Amino acid sequence: MVNRSSALDANYKIGSFEINKKITLSFKEIRDLEIKQVAAWPSKIDKIDFKLANIINQTKAPGFNKSASNDNKHILRIEPLKWWIIGESNIEILDDEGSVLDLSHAFTSLEIKGKNVRQFLNRHLPLDLREQSFENNSISSSSIHHVSTKVWKKNHDEYILFIPRGFALSIWEILLETASQFGYEIL
């Protein structure tokens, strides 16, 4: 395996940054995350769905803009004909079924948690993050300052952002500047 360096190394400072003696957000870069994109030909979507469901020991892969997990393997349906496999996994896709692309080096992944996480993210994302509109295990493609960003809501107060590696440092700085009004920690 290739040793990856973080796009955030220069500005990733672990510590607490309180506001009014409170910390309501936490940030953590998820390093060395394996991301494989699986694309299906429209006529083979059922075959691909079955193969992906087997990875997470389910009968069906998640529907559009949803995710499903088992242990440390996650399937995210990011587009009508595309899924991401997060975590170590081998999948064999025949040429006439679709394709697999390793995106592990293309994205910086940030875990953001806390009681003010929705208010914080709504400062940057043009998404309705209320529970009734963006449920747990939901996925969305959006943007932060015109940079395409994938947003995965794992549970009520935990989100994962997938930011293109080339823009990760500038988005990181923007996020931390906004987080300073909430009080935050970097883990």
Side-chain angles (χ1 to χ4, degrees):
M1 182 174 171
V2 175
N3 208 4
R4 285 187 259 163
S5 62
S6 168
L8 305 179
D9 271 348
N11 288 15
Y12 196 85
K13 310 270 189 273
I14 294 173
S16 297
F17 306 89
E18 297 176 352
I19 186 82
N20 299 327
K21 298 186 179 185
K22 292 183 183 175
I23 293 176
T24 63
L25 296 171
S26 72
F27 294 83
K28 179 181 175 187
E29 180 183 13
I30 305 170
R31 294 182 180 232
D32 297 321
L33 193 62
E34 290 192 38
I35 305 171
K36 290 186 180 145
Q37 180 173 279
V38 176
W41 299 118
S43 62
K44 303 294 183 169
I45 199 163
D46 290 335
K47 264 191 173 176
I48 300 296
D49 187 274
F50 178 75
K51 289 181 178 187
L52 291 165
N54 282 334
I55 290 173
I56 54 172
N57 298 324
Q58 307 255 339
T59 57
K60 192 158 178 51
F64 184 56
N65 283 346
K66 295 293 179 187
S67 70
S69 302
N70 185 5
D71 297 324
N72 289 325
K73 295 178 186 171
H74 313 278
I75 306 292
L76 287 63
R77 182 87 175 262
I78 59 164
E79 293 180 23
L81 299 174
K82 291 182 185 171
W83 296 261
W84 279 5
I85 303 171
I86 307 290
E88 189 175 328
S89 180
N90 291 322
I91 186 168
E92 187 175 324
I93 304 295
L94 302 176
D95 290 342
D96 70 334
E97 295 173 334
S99 64
V100 178
L101 179 62
D102 189 346
L103 297 176
S104 302
H105 300 276
F107 290 91
T108 295
S109 305
L110 298 176
E111 176 187 77
I112 305 174
K113 297 197 263 190
K115 76 176 196 174
N116 286 332
V117 69
R118 281 190 303 153
Q119 295 88 337
F120 165 76
L121 288 173
N122 272 144
R123 304 269 199 285
H124 298 285
L125 296 168
L127 296 172
D128 183 354
L129 297 177
R130 292 176 297 170
E131 293 292 327
Q132 66 268 26
S133 300
F134 202 66
E135 301 170 348
N136 291 346
N137 299 310
S138 292
I139 310 295
S140 184
S141 293
S142 190
S143 66
I144 297 176
H145 285 268
H146 306 286
V147 175
S148 177
T149 303
K150 302 280 189 231
V151 181
W152 174 21
K153 181 181 181 185
K154 289 186 79 177
N155 60 52
H156 175 70
D157 64 351
E158 180 181 3
Y159 293 77
I160 308 278
L161 301 182
F162 298 95
I163 302 165
R165 183 180 169 80
F167 294 97
L169 185 55
S170 61
I171 297 300
W172 174 252
E173 290 170 347
I174 290 166
L175 293 175
L176 292 186
E177 184 177 327
T178 302
S180 64
Q181 62 189 289
F182 293 97
Y184 67 95
E185 63 183 344
I186 300 173
L187 308 172

